[in-house]
Structures are given as structure tokens and as C-alpha cells.
Amino acid sequence: MTSPYTINLEKWLRAHANTENAPSMEAYMKNHFPFLGIRNPERVSLTKQFTKEHGFPKGEEAVRVAQELWSLPEREFHYTAIMILLQIRKTVHAAHIDVLESYIVTQSWWDTVDTVADHLIGYHLQRFPTLIPDYVEKWLASNHMWLQRTAILFQLKYKEKTDVPLLFHCITTMADSKEFFIRKAIGWALREYSKTDAESVQTFVANHDLSPLSVREALKVIHKKQGNTGI
């Protein structure tokens, strides 16, 4: 039986659907998902209005509501599910990693995968670092592109707390991939870490056979700084 909270939230968002916006939003996501046509700023505002009146669900109820929203076809519900999961990320137990993993392998596209990988899984693994070795190796060996991308990206916000050998291990493991989203992730992860340690990223790129896309993305910040200083 669907949660009354989910039923009311679904009705609230559907009442604000915009059929004029939907086609362009669907096209931007390569028509992988239908859309209600509620653009992001309005969707966030509407959700805040709803939660101001009804509050955010907590604990297992929040997990249940998020899953029910995730099972709906329109993409705005998936984004709203992530908003709810973000509200409880500080309180969930270690085993919640399996729930988060399920959001990587279902309804998968870069827009949700990257948010879950960075803001949810990355945060969760900082809270429970003993999970990292087993899960990262499992994701790398999974032959599932989005799990592999998650293994590369989950440390995006770790900065000086980045496990650099692990980051480089993930990248070298996936360096031969022909998948655009893997090559892009490699460059993105290296670019973000270059803001913390540019020298180590330059050395790594120089000593490894990465795709031109990965290299270009990895060195963007470094080259920009070099250009600004006239180097």
C-alpha cells in the first residue's frame, strides 16, 4: 500500500505539470524518461512548499517514500526522491549503502547517478569508510557502467581527504574503457583532485595512457591556471 505522504506529494507535483516544457526536458535527457515539465527551480520550490506543510518523512518512512517516488515514471519524482534521501543521509545505518546502490542501477542516467554517487554515496562512505574496499572493488568488477562511474566519482568532494591510491587505482582499472561516461568521469575526478594537488595529477596523466577526452578534462583547471600566470 502506497504511503499517504507519497500519494499527496505525487498529486501536488502532478497538479503543477507543464506540458509545454516537457518535450524539451525529455529531449535534453535523450528521451530516456517522461517529464512532468516542471523545471528544476520550480520543482525545488514546490517541494519546499509541500514539506513546509507536511514535513519531511524520517527514517524508514523516508526510505519508503523515496522508493515509491523512484518507481514513478516521470523524472521529477526521481529528483524529489533524492531530495528526501539527502535529508536523512546523516542518520542512516551502514547497511543503507545497498539502498543507495539500487539508485545507481535503476532509472539510470547521468543526472541522477552523479548526484547519488557524489552527494549520497560519497557522503555515506565517509561516514562508514570500512565499506569502501569491498564495495568499490565490486563496482569496478561489475561490468555495470554506472557502478563503475560511481567508483570513480564518489570521492569528488573529498579534497585533501581523498584516498589518492584508491582514486588512481579506480582510474587505471577503467582506463581502457571505450564508454564516454567512464572516460568523462576519469577526467572529471582528476580535474577535481587537481584543485587539491595539481602536481600529482599532472604526473599521473603524464605516466598513464588515458583517452584524449580524459586528459583534456583532467588538465582543464591546471591549464587555466597556467594560462592566467603566463606559464
Side-chain angles (χ1 to χ4, degrees):
M1 185 176 177
T2 304
S3 164
Y5 189 100
T6 306
I7 292 171
N8 289 330
L9 179 52
E10 179 185 358
K11 286 180 179 177
W12 172 250
L13 291 177
R14 287 195 186 281
H16 293 84
N18 185 323
T19 55
E20 291 184 2
N21 291 340
S24 62
M25 296 172 74
E26 290 166 5
Y28 183 66
M29 289 299 162
K30 306 296 185 184
N31 295 303
H32 285 293
F33 310 96
F35 276 77
L36 296 173
I38 306 173
R39 299 198 185 281
N40 191 59
E42 184 185 2
R43 177 186 56 78
V44 172
S45 177
L46 288 168
T47 305
K48 287 180 178 178
Q49 291 176 47
F50 183 88
T51 57
K52 186 175 181 180
E53 180 178 349
H54 299 276
F56 269 102
K58 296 179 174 60
E60 288 304 312
E61 174 67 5
V63 175
R64 175 188 174 189
V65 168
Q67 187 57 52
E68 289 170 346
L69 292 171
W70 199 258
S71 69
L72 296 171
E74 291 87 0
R75 199 57 163 168
E76 289 91 341
F77 294 119
H78 307 159
Y79 300 150
T80 305
I82 291 173
M83 284 184 69
I84 289 172
L85 292 172
L86 285 168
Q87 289 295 313
I88 63 169
R89 67 178 187 169
K90 294 181 180 179
T91 61
V92 293
H93 299 297
H96 187 66
I97 185 65
D98 293 321
V99 174
L100 298 178
E101 184 183 80
S102 74
Y103 286 84
I104 297 295
V105 298
T106 59
Q107 310 282 20
S108 307
W109 196 239
W110 63 265
D111 54 332
T112 55
V113 166
D114 291 356
T115 304
V116 173
D118 181 1
H119 296 281
L120 288 171
I121 288 178
Y123 185 88
H124 193 75
L125 293 181
Q126 278 194 310
R127 290 185 66 214
F128 304 103
T130 57
L131 297 172
I132 292 175
D134 288 344
Y135 276 87
V136 170
E137 287 304 321
K138 180 180 77 168
W139 296 337
L140 289 173
S142 68
N143 204 32
H144 191 290
M145 179 183 71
W146 298 114
L147 287 174
Q148 292 169 333
R149 183 171 166 98
T150 297
I152 296 167
L153 294 180
F154 81 92
Q155 296 193 85
L156 272 181
K157 288 190 166 53
Y158 284 20
K159 298 181 180 179
E160 70 279 353
K161 295 180 181 178
T162 299
D163 182 337
V164 181
L166 178 61
L167 173 63
F168 289 168
H169 165 68
C170 291
I171 290 170
T172 54
T173 300
M174 299 307 305
D176 291 336
S177 174
K178 306 301 182 188
E179 291 284 358
F180 168 83
F181 285 107
I182 296 297
R183 291 181 168 190
K184 189 83 169 180
I186 288 171
W188 185 12
L190 289 171
R191 184 175 75 246
E192 282 303 301
Y193 188 62
S194 77
K195 299 173 186 177
T196 299
D197 187 350
E199 184 177 351
S200 70
V201 169
Q202 283 182 298
T203 300
F204 179 84
V205 170
N207 292 321
H208 292 82
D209 186 16
L210 303 177
S211 73
L213 171 62
S214 297
V215 172
R216 186 167 63 251
E217 291 293 323
L219 300 179
K220 269 185 178 179
V221 171
I222 293 171
H223 286 167
K224 184 176 181 180
K225 288 182 178 179
Q226 289 174 341
N228 288 342
T229 59
I231 296 174

